[in-house]
Amino acid sequence: MTFADLHLHTRYSDGTYTPAELVSAARSVGLSEISLTDHDTLDGCDEVKTLAADAGIGFIPGTEITAELDGRELHILGYFVDAQHPDLARELRAAQDIRRKRVKDMVARLNAREIPLSVDAVLELANCSAPGRPHVARALVAAGICTSLDEAFDRFLKKDRPGWVPKRKMSAARALELIHAAGGVAVMAHPGLNHDDRMVSRLARMGVDGLECHHPKHGPAAVARYEEMARELGLVVTGGSDCHGMSKARPTIGTVKIPTIRVDALRERLAQRREGRPLTPAPGAPASNPVAPSTAADLPASPP
Ligand code: AMP
Ligand code: ZN
Ligand code: FE
Ligand code: FE
């Protein structure tokens, strides 16, 4: 059996791996197929695609769009999208502008608390189009103001801490519309981090194509529950490690893999959309794919 990981980050957003490091890690854990899903950007896809091809690894272009539904943040993965699609490209640029503005606002709030951090330091360290809180945290550590990323989040960056600034997000409906308009398929990321399973059925009615049942923060019970929901709602089962490189104690790549037969199901769904055929799996249809192994332990949920 061959395996895929459909949720990976690089330095093009808040991961620590370069594209070359990501592909090398993918090869060393034996992946046959990968997707790059950096937050609100497709910038790294060309580079990873070339490197993956050299390594004999299949590549699917992707992005993880920050969205909201009923005032709650959720992440929607867009796969096989055309990075040049004007509407998608424009709205990703807008999301990136919002991220840069948010970094400025966060730094201003910290400065008002006598924390000496500069916007330039954060943006230079981020060196990408999708800066975010992890980069502010890294800059706080680099400046010697905090000793760890966790400390930076706990003291300054979590909701209602001194550096906290709410994030403006696009609506989930718009994210789905953009992904489909750009020729892709949409998957709800890590439903276990949203603490409200009703979001899954709402998104299914709105036209989401798949559900990320396999994720490091989903224990065996959650995986089973989401696989059952996917079956009932007619969604393709996907998964990935959500690896951010060395930003956690250990890179998560390799801990969550899905059989590539799942990716074939996603590709079939893509072909159905592009050709205007009826969508499968149909709601309530028996699962046709083997259940993927989940090696992750039951972990407490934390922010996505
Ligand atoms: P943002 O989208 O800018 O609000 O940042 C969210 C990102 O921060 C997510 O990708 C999380 O992985 C990361 N994050 C949240 N809490 C922590 C933490 N305690 N330590 C490190 N990263 C965190
Ligand atoms: Zn991230
Ligand atoms: Fe992610
Ligand atoms: Fe996420």
Side-chain angles (χ1 to χ4, degrees), residues 74 84 135 188 226 234 237 272 303:
L74 81 161
Q84 311 303 326
H135 300 111
M188 181 187 183
Y226 292 123
V237 171
Q272 290 162 355

Side-chain angles (χ1 to χ4, degrees), residues 2-13:
T2 54
F3 292 95
D5 185 334
L6 298 186
H7 194 151
L8 295 163
H9 296 272
T10 62
R11 287 188 198 172
Y12 279 94
S13 67

Side-chain angles (χ1 to χ4, degrees), residues 14 39 66 73 99 102 106 131-134 149-150 153-154 158 164 167 244 247-248 303-304:
D14 58 358
H39 300 281
T66 314
E73 179 167 332
R99 283 176 166 274
R102 183 174 181 233
M106 284 190 280
R133 279 187 296 164
L149 298 180
D150 277 341
F153 271 89
D154 287 344
K158 276 186 180 170
W164 164 255
K167 187 161 54 176
H244 284 72
S247 65
K248 294 276 153 64

Side-chain angles (χ1 to χ4, degrees), residues 13 15-16 21 52 100 109-110 117 127 134 136 145 188 201 222:
S13 67
T16 68
E21 287 166 345
R100 270 187 293 273
R109 289 186 61 95
L110 292 170
L117 193 70
N127 190 30
V136 180
I145 297 162
M188 181 187 183
S201 44

